[in-house]
Amino acid sequence: MIDDIRRIAAAASDRIAAAGTIEELSTLDRELLGKTSELTGFKRQMGGLDPDDRRTVGAALNEAREGLQAAVAARRQELEAIAAKQRAAAERLDLTEVRAGRDAGHLHLITQSFEELEDIFVGLGFTVAEGPEVDDDWHNFTALNFGKHHPARDMQDTFFVDLGEPREVVMRTHTSPVQVRVMESQVPPIYSVMPGRVYRNEATDATHLAVFHQLECLVVDEGITFGHLASTIDRFTKAYFGPGYNTRLRPAYFPFTEPSAEFDVQRPDGSWLELGGCGMVHPNVLSNCGIDPEVHTGFAFGFGVDRLAATRYGVTDLRELTSPDVRFLEQF
Ligand code: DAH
């Protein structure tokens, strides 16, 4: 009986060493050491042996079991190491590799989107202006008709730059302060767009980022009407997305425009994307910037570029736009 046990154990040990996958090994483990295995069968026969034989057969059985259990554990470790190596090889990314027929890198989706939007507006006769990301209370709020204690200041969760009281320096919460800078430094007619990065002190999720991007549009001239605003929004939307997209305006409130509206873009499937705000530039804002509201009127709008690009390219989680993963970035 002891010879049988040793023979069976040796054969089992060879099969364990030859197991090619972890699944195969688990099946073998059950077959060779489980309740219905040959080795377990010997245990049942032991009852019929005399006590001396029972002791030696028992010892041989234990030795065989322990040897096989150790063999299974050792083979499992080997197979796991092989699997880990294969996984690492499959997921390996060589960030220094330059692949034939392909540039070493390209502009980020957001940069591409800004360039495309700027091209569209330049084609409509606009110029492009930029302003600082760290700005003062005057440009971000006060000149835009947010009074010192205006509740709308709370609408925009602001990051303040820690320079002590009074808290006068902010990370701009929108690109609208660039409107102020353009109006302060130029005389009408003004036809400008202002792309840039903005900051909000709020939690990020699939549809919100604390650092995101906006494009602002400002027109100041004689005889500018709400009709010019609505048609400009519709023109740029169709130019960016294609003719199947429509726009609508909904009444809203912003301190720096009167009347104000929010604008939505309708996708070909009928669903709506809330994109931005707009309105006729408030007379107080024109005066704050040295422009006579009796002579000039204007419209403005601003929208989130991350959302715009995400909609067009089917990015469902805005946080992906901040990912450094080339597998994401390469798609655009
Ligand atoms: N600055 C606004 C925001 O970030 C958006 C906006 C609303 C811009 C109305 C405008 C405007 O130019 O006229 O929420």
Side-chain angles (χ1 to χ4, degrees):
M1 206 184 268
I2 289 177
D3 285 346
D4 284 345
I5 291 170
R6 298 221 167 109
R7 189 179 39 76
I8 289 166
S13 176
D14 288 346
R15 291 180 65 194
I16 289 166
T21 64
I22 291 178
E23 294 74 47
E24 206 179 316
L25 184 66
S26 301
T27 311
L28 270 180
D29 189 5
R30 255 172 279 126
E31 180 189 329
L32 300 174
L33 291 161
K35 279 196 189 108
T36 55
S37 65
E38 274 182 292
L39 284 182
T40 306
F42 281 109
K43 219 172 180 175
R44 281 190 214 103
Q45 295 170 34
M46 276 168 57
L49 301 175
D50 63 51
D52 273 354
D53 287 346
R54 207 183 293 160
R55 209 172 303 120
T56 48
V57 169
L61 263 182
N62 276 345
E63 192 187 321
R65 278 195 84 79
E66 277 161 21
L68 291 181
Q69 277 162 352
V72 168
R75 186 61 186 152
R76 185 177 299 276
Q77 233 175 36
E78 279 170 18
L79 290 173
E80 274 167 1
I82 291 169
K85 228 188 208 152
Q86 283 170 346
R87 220 177 308 123
E91 292 177 3
R92 172 179 164 279
L93 296 170
D94 182 350
L95 301 179
T96 62
E97 178 181 49
V98 178
R99 273 171 262 180
R102 188 179 163 283
D103 289 339
H106 65 279
L107 296 176
H108 189 274
L109 176 57
I110 294 299
T111 312
Q112 291 180 39
S113 303
F114 270 137
E115 291 195 346
E116 193 178 339
L117 288 164
E118 287 165 25
D119 284 349
I120 290 170
F121 280 101
V122 167
L124 293 172
F126 286 74
T127 58
V128 180
E130 281 182 300
E133 291 176 23
V134 182
D135 212 337
D136 52 31
D137 183 277
W138 167 256
H139 290 94
N140 197 79
F141 291 121
T142 306
L144 289 167
N145 204 33
F146 288 83
K148 265 282 172 240
H149 301 288
H150 198 295
R153 283 183 188 234
D154 300 334
M155 277 166 35
Q156 311 205 335
D157 300 296
T158 310
F159 281 120
F160 291 89
V161 179
D162 189 7
L163 298 171
E165 294 295 329
R167 299 195 297 177
E168 287 287 342
V169 180
V170 302
M171 302 305 292
R172 68 178 176 197
T173 57
H174 50 182
T175 42
S176 301
V178 192
Q179 286 186 31
V180 177
R181 290 179 179 277
V182 168
M183 287 188 277
E184 283 174 337
S185 61
Q186 295 174 31
V187 291
I190 294 169
Y191 291 80
S192 276
V193 289
M194 294 142 264
R197 188 179 293 137
V198 301
Y199 301 80
R200 299 272 172 97
N201 186 4
E202 61 180 21
T204 57
D205 60 30
T207 55
H208 296 88
L209 297 175
V211 181
F212 57 103
H213 303 84
Q214 291 186 333
L215 188 98
E216 192 85 13
C217 176
L218 173 69
V219 167
V220 182
D221 203 343
E222 289 178 32
I224 296 298
T225 69
F226 204 85
H228 295 126
L229 165 62
S231 60
T232 304
I233 287 178
D234 203 60
R235 277 286 288 278
F236 111 75
T237 304
K238 288 184 164 63
Y240 182 75
F241 284 109
Y245 286 73
N246 293 309
T247 53
R248 74 174 172 198
L249 302 182
R250 282 177 292 112
Y253 173 76
F254 297 100
F256 37 96
T257 42
E258 180 58 34
S260 303
E262 281 182 287
F263 67 95
D264 305 333
V265 172
Q266 188 176 35
R267 305 178 180 98
D269 69 1
S271 65
W272 292 94
L273 168 71
E274 289 183 21
L275 204 55
C278 63
M280 301 305 291
V281 181
H282 196 292
N284 292 351
V285 175
L286 293 172
S287 317
N288 286 341
C289 301
I291 293 174
D292 183 353
E294 297 297 331
V295 179
H296 292 104
T297 51
F299 72 72
F301 60 87
F303 57 88
V305 171
D306 307 76
R307 280 190 192 174
L308 184 86
T311 291
R312 190 161 110 178
Y313 292 96
V315 176
T316 51
D317 188 331
L318 290 185
R319 288 169 294 193
E320 297 227 77
L321 294 170
T322 65
S323 159
D325 190 330
V326 291
R327 290 166 297 185
F328 171 76
L329 298 171
E330 264 179 352
Q331 299 173 70
F332 310 106

